[in-house]
């Protein structure tokens, strides 16, 4: 029996999608850089045993596996590489919340649960699961862990790795590792879960996770501030963090250019302040306490803020706060309205951010006169999306032809600050070349050894993350 027929029999009806049978949504890719790569089939097991059976049969047949969650990744990790011989293993049917333990502040969810469903399960027991960002209605918790996703609340709660207590993983040989421990302390050996978090499906397939919960948010204060410089943004962030009892949960930087794109092209986005500023900070303080008066704290800190801080507005109500967030969340989509963009997801130490923005800006303007720098993102984590939108007079295709050259030049500046060229979106099939070019050779060697120890035949998401060894 052909192996897909055998799998179909084992996994049950609806679990195998063949080419031409409604596969399109699994082959889309957000940036259109790796879309429509053919595969042999999309496999949709319904539980961990089904994932294990799929992996075992693929191993026997020598078939490569591309794990796929919500397919919102931005580096082509969930798309096949060229060749058409791989299968996509979709986790979407593993979508049960297995357990919620309010007293232990933990929750166990299957990999295919959407992030918004995990947040809702926590909220239902008056708890918070703090991972949050614009794609939360589409991405899955397994994908979030596989990419070690960041988002809006990292500076207060950490990234996906920091929110994980335990994992269940299907290994390359089809065995299931049950590491679903809900412990805060466990030094009984190597912390294996950390190998799979951020590995983008190259070391194992995450089928479930036990996650940390926090007290629910009772009070929130949101403000948008106009600034003369990125230096003022860093200074203000420091002051707010120190003066607010460490209640700063989000601190998002937006240049005037991306804000203008949001106002021009994203629905429901309007000018937030009477005058325009070169930079804006969107700040949110939150507290689980009652009557903490965060709005007053924010007002006090902003009114005593140093030079370079312009006008500001503290949201009067949830609708106004949502309007500020709409500006921030509207930027990635709005950029498309202004033409093709080259994307950079970088991090440097927070204090170096202004220097990086100046230096990288000078480099790209020199390389591509008229390029529109569209810098925005999580400045509180030292992570911004240093995106570049094509010059108004340039053709999209001509601009995209410069992708490698422009990103390499930006990454070279990042490296002078000892930063990262892949801060939160990962490597996927977009950046293995940069891993090879920029990462310490010892680190690369360790990555290859880990890969060959856990996936000796190289069938889990081949061509992603780990660059091939040089001859
Ligand atoms: C509008 C928008 C905003 C975004 N904002 C942010 C942001 O603020 N912060 C951020 O970090 N990211 C952001 N992203 C990127 C993306 O949402 C994240 O990378 C997310 O974690 C991917 O989850 P997913 O379920 O869609 O995974 P997919 O895209 O399906 O897969 C991503 C990678 O993980 C692997 N994978 C998926 N599921 C599993 C599994 N169960 N086991 C093993 N490997 C698996 C895939 O093979 C692939 O390599 C944004 C994306 C969009 C579209």
């Amino acid at each position: 029996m052909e192996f897909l027929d055998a799998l179909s029999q084992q996994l049950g009806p609806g679990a195998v999608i063949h080419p031409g049978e409604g596969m399109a949504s699994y082959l889309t890719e957000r940036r259109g850089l790796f879309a429509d790569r053919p595969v042999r089939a999309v496999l949709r097991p319904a539980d961990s045993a089904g994932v294990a059976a799929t992996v075992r049969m693929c191993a026997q047949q020598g078939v490569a596996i591309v794990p796929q969650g919500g397919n919102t990744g931005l580096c082509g990790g969930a798309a096949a590489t060229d060749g058409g011989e791989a299968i996509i293993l979709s986790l979407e049917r593993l979508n049960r919340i297995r357990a919620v333990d309010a007293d232990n502040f933990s929750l166990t969810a299957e990999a295919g649960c959407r992030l918004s469903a995990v947040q809702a399960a926590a909220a239902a027991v008056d708890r918070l699961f703090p991972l949050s960002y614009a794609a939360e209605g589409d991405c899955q918790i397994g994908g979030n862990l596989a990419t070690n996703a960041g988002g809006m609340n990292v500076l207060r709660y950490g990234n996906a790795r920091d929110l994980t207590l335990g994992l269940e993983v299907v290994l390359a040989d089809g065995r299931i590792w049950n590491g679903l421990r809900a412990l805060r302390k466990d030094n009984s050996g190597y912390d294996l879960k950390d190998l799979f978090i951020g590995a983008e499906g190259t070391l194992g397939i995450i089928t479930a996770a036990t996650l940390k919960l926090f007290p629910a948010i009772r009070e929130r204060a949101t403000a948008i501030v106009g600034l003369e410089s990125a230096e003022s943004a860093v200074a203000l962030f420091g002051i707010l963090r120190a003066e607010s009892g460490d209640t700063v949960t989000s601190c998002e930087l937006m240049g005037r250019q991306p804000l203008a794109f949001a106002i021009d092209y994203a629905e429901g986005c309007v000018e937030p302040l009477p005058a325009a500023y070169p930079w804006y900070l969107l700040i949110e303080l939150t507290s689980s306490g009652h009557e903490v008066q965060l709005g007053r704290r924010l007002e006090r800190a902003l009114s005593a803020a140093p030079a370079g801080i312009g006008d500001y507005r503290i949201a009067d109500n949830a609708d106004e706060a949502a309007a500020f967030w709409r500006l921030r969340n509207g930027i990635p989509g709005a950029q498309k309205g202004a033409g093709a963009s080259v994307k950079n997801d970088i991090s440097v130490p927070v204090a170096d951010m202004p220097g990086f923005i100046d230096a990288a800006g000078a480099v790209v303007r020199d390389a591509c006169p008229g390029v529109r720098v569209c810098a925005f993102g999580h400045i509180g984590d030292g992570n911004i999306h240093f995106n570049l939108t094509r010059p108004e007079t340039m053709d999209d295709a001509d601009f995209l032809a410069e992708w490698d050259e422009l990103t390499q030049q930006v990454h070279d500046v990042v490296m002078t600050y000892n930063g990262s060229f892949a801060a939160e979106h990962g490597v996927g099939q977009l950046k293995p070349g940069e891993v090879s070019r920029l990462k310490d050779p010892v680190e690369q060697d360790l990555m290859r050894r880990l890969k060959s120890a856990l996936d000796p035949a190289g069938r889990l998401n081949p061509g992603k993350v780990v660059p091939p060894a040089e001859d």
Side-chain angles (χ1 to χ4, degrees), residues 30 67-74 77-78 91 111 133-135 139-140 142-144 146-147 149-151 200-201 204-206 378 424-425 461:
R30 294 269 166 163
Q68 189 176 94
N71 202 13
T72 67
L74 298 173
L91 279 299
Y133 64 91
C139 62
Q140 298 173 7
N144 298 146
T147 56
E200 301 181 50
I205 295 171
I206 297 167
H378 322 294
E424 65 172 2
H425 296 158
N461 226 358

Side-chain angles (χ1 to χ4, degrees), residues 275-298:
Y277 287 87
W279 294 95
Y280 297 82
L281 262 195
L282 172 54
I283 299 151
E284 192 157 275
L285 313 188
T286 61
S287 169
S288 58
H290 292 279
E291 295 177 28
V292 185
Q293 301 195 314
L294 289 177
R296 278 206 193 166
R297 285 195 203 187
L298 195 49

